[in-house]
Amino acid sequence: MRARILEILRENRGRPVSGEELARALGLSRTSVWKHVTALRRAGYPIEGSPRRGYVLESVPDLLTAEEIRSGLATEVLGRQVEVRQSVSSTNDLAKERARRGAPEGLVVVAEEQTAGRGRLGRAWASPPGVGLWMSVLLRPPLPAPEVARLTLAAAVAVAEAVRAVSDVPCGIKWPNDVVAGGRKLCGILTEIEADWERVHFVVVGIGVNVNTPAAAFPPEIRESATSIRIEQGRPAPRAALARAILAGLEHAYRETLAGRFDGVLARWRALSVTLGRPVRILPVAEGQPALAGVAEDVDGDGALLLRLPDGRLHRVLAGEVSLRPADT
């Protein structure tokens, strides 16, 4: 209901909306409207109001609230339930906990800060408060476990297209799922699965986007390799609008994948790729495996990278850390 109140106040920016008008539109009492408006004010929304003038939303702050994320969200499943925390160790861990307790598909867990965020290969992910989009999405796909890797590529497409939609940043995707801009990492995606030999129980897609992170907020060891939308375009970006765009794009890509139309998603991934056609070096993820070098030729239907080796052989890479040559772009 609060999301609907915000939507009405946004539609009438500059014009007071009376409590009676809101009550009539929402089927509530004026007292209930007042209680919802009071809660929105406590959450940080600057809503002015008086008995004679009505309510006016003076500005839209950069808040990650459930109401803000759901307001205008054009999805049927993803984001219908949003849980927002000020601080968690990891949104993926909280989403998995909720999944094990029976949370429905489409649950989105968002935090203003992660104290133990992590990325691929067990690496730490810096998640300072108030500047990024740290969220996890719960999916329950009727897919065999080997096909779940496709969802990671679908998520990368959704993020890259959303960043382009809400900003001026011409980002791309480095295989398999790093969203990069100017050769530096803008977003990391961590997909975790819980399954047994019979079926996939659930998948959690963790998405960490450096939205308004200043350079000084990055740990020194990644300051040269990480970036944010704000750094790239020179001004802040709206985090809730980005969350909505990602969820809408991910739901579309997810449906296409489940409907057997992953080829279309893969074509969009290829169009956004900064890896294909480039000389690359693949660092192994398992100890004892050799590093590989060659030209990244394509990605197959399972998301594996097809690497053309110097001797002409085509090698299928399922996992690894890609380094673009001669330099990351």
Side-chain angles (χ1 to χ4, degrees), residues 280-284 290-294 307 309 315 317:
V280 300
R281 182 175 174 82
I282 311 292
L283 301 179
L292 297 169
L307 183 70
L309 299 176
H315 186 81
V317 182

Side-chain angles (χ1 to χ4, degrees), residues 140-287:
R140 296 187 182 274
L143 293 173
E147 293 185 14
V148 169
R150 296 178 178 181
L151 301 181
T152 299
L153 272 65
V157 169
V159 171
E161 290 180 343
V163 169
R164 287 172 170 238
V166 305
S167 75
D168 298 327
V169 179
C171 60
I173 303 171
K174 186 175 80 168
W175 184 85
N177 59 3
D178 284 346
V179 178
V180 298
R184 297 185 292 177
K185 192 164 179 174
L186 183 72
C187 167
I189 297 170
L190 176 64
T191 301
E192 297 184 295
I193 178 175
E194 189 157 297
D196 56 32
W197 67 277
E198 291 184 325
R199 65 186 179 93
V200 172
H201 297 289
F202 63 81
V203 174
V204 169
V205 181
I207 298 169
V209 188
N210 301 321
V211 185
N212 297 320
T213 315
F218 290 118
E221 62 271 19
I222 65 168
R223 205 162 285 166
E224 296 300 317
S225 60
T227 191
S228 70
I229 295 176
R230 181 173 185 167
I231 291 171
E232 294 298 317
Q233 70 175 7
R235 64 181 186 280
R239 294 183 299 156
L242 178 61
R244 291 192 295 270
I246 290 172
L247 292 172
L250 180 56
E251 181 168 284
H252 176 70
Y254 181 50
R255 284 181 169 177
E256 291 290 287
T257 301
L258 295 187
R261 295 191 291 269
F262 183 66
D263 284 351
V265 178
L266 196 54
R268 288 153 59 199
W269 189 97
R270 291 186 179 108
L272 290 161
S273 173
V274 300
T275 305
L276 299 184
R278 294 284 305 276
V280 300
R281 182 175 174 82
I282 311 292
L283 301 179
V285 296
E287 191 173 339

Side-chain angles (χ1 to χ4, degrees), residues 61-105:
D62 185 34
L63 296 175
L64 285 177
T65 64
E67 292 78 19
E68 193 67 29
I69 292 170
R70 286 199 300 261
S71 180
L73 180 61
T75 58
E76 293 184 6
V77 177
L78 304 193
R80 293 299 95 190
Q81 182 176 330
V82 179
E83 182 174 345
V84 178
R85 295 290 191 91
Q86 283 302 114
S87 181
V88 297
S89 59
S90 160
T91 58
N92 261 32
D93 287 348
L94 183 55
K96 288 189 291 185
E97 177 186 319
R98 296 290 185 262
R100 293 178 187 120
R101 295 182 180 181
E105 180 172 65

